[in-house]
DNA sequence: GATATTTGATATGGTCCATAACAATTATCA
DNA sequence: TGATAATTGTTATGGACCATATCAAATATC
């Protein structure tokens, strides 16, 4: 079919009525080529938060290019290292990852020999998670890259004190908003 | 096929070797039932940024439930109001939305009679964007909801000064990181 | 011991994001 | 001028991420 949804909808909009053309005339030639005004957008918490998050993730991926670790994968490795012997449900839920979606993530990390699922002897339903030796080594290198290339960038942008204040406020928003 | 990818991969992991069982034994029974330690995760910029962003968007959606506006839709309305007479490419790129993905968004807003596409007389390829009267009214109500329910929540959580400092730092990160 | 719950897993659908391609229109320039 | 390139809105499509329902195996509950 060649009739688009937009075309169907346009049947009920006043774009080609007399009023539509008048409105168009009022507006033609406004600020052609000039930069757009962000206006209240630049003070919207959600907007600036999302933009900042995208930039930070982008930078993180560049810093981690040699190790091929995403922010989510890095967080899993960090959490498993700090809490060895926990099962998938515990690690996933702590990170806000749903159990079904955590399976493929672990498949990936395990296939790269970064972590391992070990059948628990206490509860043979669950898989205990541990970092492999390679996983520990990769995580150590990842931490150094994050510290020297990623966090350092934030420090030189905001300064040490502001950087800590920013993270503290974000943590508060994340937990109490 | 019933053989999963995970099962294939598990052939090369040492879960059931002597070493595997020894590792498991070292780790069994650690902190069962206790809360997990976040460790360095709670100081990771990307982690806390993402969690905060999810919470803020969630709260935004609740505040806007009566108007059925997403953060992205709200940002489009704000930007079109501030910059009437711009075309789709200009509005979309300012918001970091790719032109193809902006089409469906506008189809939605236009079908709800919140904004209108008007064929430009200067360049008949492009569509000038304008808010409808209903769009202006809805946006006005949305702004009030955001101010009284959304931003106010942030104020009582951080205080006015910290709220402004947070947004300023996020803006800096978003633009210079 | 029958029933309910938990765990890891699969299947599946939705939303968002990114790229390629196309028709209509406009810009470029030989 | 006319052929070619670039732009605009659009469609189609695929990937990444997120959410729900469902299942078998194992465990808990009664």
């Amino acid at each position: 079919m060649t009739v688009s949804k937009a075309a169907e909808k346009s049947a009920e909009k006043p774009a080609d009525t007399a009023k539509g053309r008048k409105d168009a005339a009022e507006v033609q030639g406004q600020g052609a080529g000039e930069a757009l005004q962000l206006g209240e957008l630049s003070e919207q918490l959600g907007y600036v938060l999302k933009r900042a998050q995208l930039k930070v993730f982008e930078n993180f991926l560049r810093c981690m290019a040699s190790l091929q670790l995403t922010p989510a994968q890095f967080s899993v490795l960090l959490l498993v290292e700090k809490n060895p012997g926990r099962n998938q449900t515990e690690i996933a839920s702590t990170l806000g990852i749903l159990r079904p979606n955590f399976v493929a993530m672990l498949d990936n990390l395990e296939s790269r020999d970064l972590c391992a699922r070990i059948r628990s002897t206490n509860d043979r339903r669950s898989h205990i998670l541990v970092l492999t030796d390679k996983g520990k080594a990769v995580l150590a290198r990842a931490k150094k890259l994050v510290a020297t290339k990623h966090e350092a960038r934030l420090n030189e942008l905001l300064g040490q004190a502001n950087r800590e204040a920013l993270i503290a406020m974000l943590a508060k928003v994340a937990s109490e908003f």
Side-chain angles (χ1 to χ4, degrees), chain A:
Chain A
M1 85 166 167
T2 55
V3 178
S4 68
K5 275 192 292 183
E8 294 180 73
K9 281 165 197 157
S10 69
E12 50 186 346
K13 87 180 175 190
D16 220 354
T17 64
K19 180 167 185 305
R21 274 195 299 272
K22 175 167 166 296
D23 288 349
E26 286 170 5
V27 136
Q28 300 289 359
Q30 285 210 2
E34 297 157 20
L36 276 73
Q37 301 294 326
L38 279 191
E40 318 175 42
L41 212 49
S42 50
E43 285 162 20
Q44 282 295 322
L45 174 65
Y47 177 75
V48 71
L49 201 46
K50 179 74 180 182
R51 296 301 280 252
Q53 184 255 314
L54 289 175
K55 274 287 189 71
V56 167
F57 270 42
E58 199 179 304
N59 179 278
F60 184 97
L61 287 175
R62 271 197 306 272
C63 295
M64 289 303 199
S66 61
L67 297 180
Q68 286 289 297
L69 283 182
T70 68
Q73 290 168 339
F74 179 66
S75 71
V76 170
L77 295 184
L78 267 185
L79 196 61
V80 172
E81 183 195 46
K82 185 76 179 182
N83 302 272
R86 299 301 192 131
N87 66 24
Q88 298 183 198
T89 298
E90 291 172 312
I91 297 292
S93 77
T94 299
L95 292 173
I97 303 174
L98 293 173
R99 277 65 78 212
N101 300 328
F102 195 50
V103 173
M105 246 189 106
L106 272 186
D107 287 349
N108 182 339
L109 294 176
E110 202 174 24
S111 73
R112 295 160 66 183
D113 193 30
L114 298 180
C115 80
R117 297 184 236 225
I118 302 178
R119 194 114 249 164
S120 168
T121 56
N122 303 332
D123 184 341
R124 295 190 15 242
R125 289 170 298 186
S126 59
H127 288 164
I128 290 308
L129 298 182
V130 218
L131 294 193
T132 63
D133 290 344
K134 183 181 171 191
K136 291 173 187 168
V138 166
L139 180 57
R141 286 207 285 158
K143 284 182 187 176
K144 278 185 187 169
L145 287 179
V146 167
T148 61
K149 312 187 102 168
H150 190 66
E151 302 277 358
R153 179 83 192 86
L154 188 61
N155 263 336
E156 73 186 46
L157 192 64
L158 299 180
Q160 172 79 12
N162 283 334
R163 175 188 148 279
E164 291 175 8
L166 172 62
I167 291 186
M169 284 193 282
L170 287 174
K172 189 162 188 174
V173 169
S175 67
E176 298 177 33
F177 201 84

